[in-house]
Amino acid sequence: MAGQTVNFKLNGEEIRAAAGWTIWQAARAAGVFIPTLCHHEALHPFGACRLCVVEVEKDGKKTLEAACSYPAAEGLSVETETPRVQKSRKMTAALLLARCPSVPLIRELAARLGVAEDSLPLKGRAEEACILCGRCVRVCREAIGKRAVSFAYRGPQRRVSAPFGEEAPDCIGCTACVFVCPTGAVKAVRQDNRLRLSPWQTELPLLSCSACGRSFAAEKVLRHLHGLQKASFDPETLCPVCRRKQVGEALEKVSKLGKAGSFPPGKEQKQFKH
Ligand code: SF4
Ligand code: FES
């Protein structure tokens, strides 16, 4: 409930958190760092990577829990750096390194946690970059309201893909998946007036600016935005640069009018009122 707080122990210190916060949110507010990978603040917690595990003591029992999704609650005792926590994070990093041996973020993480390159046999393709964090799937559903991609298969075959591994008909080319992907596994390339998204194997035509002619956004994404604003779609759209220029020119005109004395309302207009 709004305004309510809970008190619990974090690394031996009594802290206060807003009701409804996760342990990770409470720790961050208290200045305690807990590493995350699949978590993104704009998205619902998913608890996929287990990098954020902490040791939680509740009713006399100690368990490892994902801090990004475990709710902060009255009377908990949470430790963020115990040997059990460190061992678990190391194992997570070793598994990720075995899956994605060439991803810089994973290599850095493994090095920071003291995981040797060959600690586990290589499980993925050398060029595998997806850690199955699900950020792309969640941003598409939660933020955009689409279902362009989803998880497919189980076990070692598990991956994120468009339906049937073909072009994603639901993709509008917003590229939100590119922005939230922590490893760079999702890529968007603009070429020949088309936007190509990989690994979704999806291509979308780009709309050209009616002023400068440069292609700047997928038509589907602009239609989607206009739909949200309940405004009709005008294909004669300006790119952001030309729109800013147009606004700048309009402001300049207004300021010139102001200097010439006819704006803001001058004498004549006041007289007109009487
Ligand atoms: S493609 Fe990127 S965002 Fe999507 S699951 Fe894989 S690593 Fe996560
Ligand atoms: S960041 Fe918490 S499980 Fe991934």
Side-chain angles (χ1 to χ4, degrees), residues 19-194:
W21 277 7
T22 61
I23 290 177
W24 181 81
Q25 285 174 306
R28 190 187 55 167
V32 174
F33 175 72
I34 299 175
T36 57
L37 209 47
C38 69
H39 184 60
H40 191 289
E41 278 194 82
L43 305 171
H44 285 114
F46 189 49
C49 72
R50 307 280 299 171
L51 187 67
C52 66
V53 285
V54 290
E55 201 161 351
V56 176
E57 187 174 350
K58 187 185 174 191
D59 302 329
K61 274 191 203 147
K62 284 186 180 178
T63 51
L64 286 183
E65 304 291 349
C68 70
S69 55
Y70 198 94
E74 198 69 38
L76 296 181
S77 179
V78 179
E79 293 287 336
T80 63
E81 295 295 339
T82 63
R84 206 176 155 203
V85 164
Q86 281 163 359
K87 194 174 161 198
S88 170
R89 284 188 196 149
K90 256 179 120 164
M91 179 49 77
T92 298
L95 288 166
L96 289 170
L97 190 63
R99 177 181 168 84
C100 303
S102 50
V103 171
L105 176 79
I106 302 303
R107 295 179 67 80
E108 252 172 57
L109 174 74
R112 199 154 22 99
L113 292 173
V115 175
E117 287 220 9
D118 54 356
S119 63
L120 286 178
L122 189 67
K123 289 232 180 71
R125 296 171 292 130
E127 70 281 10
E128 180 61 81
C130 175
I131 55 168
L132 301 173
C133 71
R135 283 188 185 192
C136 52
V137 177
R138 285 176 288 149
V139 79
C140 192
R141 287 177 194 193
E142 294 175 22
I144 312 299
K146 299 283 176 188
R147 286 175 173 261
V149 292
S150 52
F151 284 104
Y153 305 101
R154 287 176 188 274
Q157 306 302 322
R158 192 156 171 80
R159 58 174 177 267
V160 176
S161 85
F164 309 108
E166 292 170 2
E167 190 140 342
D170 218 14
C171 178
I172 57 171
C174 67
T175 66
C177 50
V178 179
F179 286 105
V180 296
C181 178
T183 61
V186 191
K187 292 191 171 54
V189 178
R190 286 171 186 216
Q191 209 178 18
D192 306 329
N193 272 3
R194 297 186 76 76

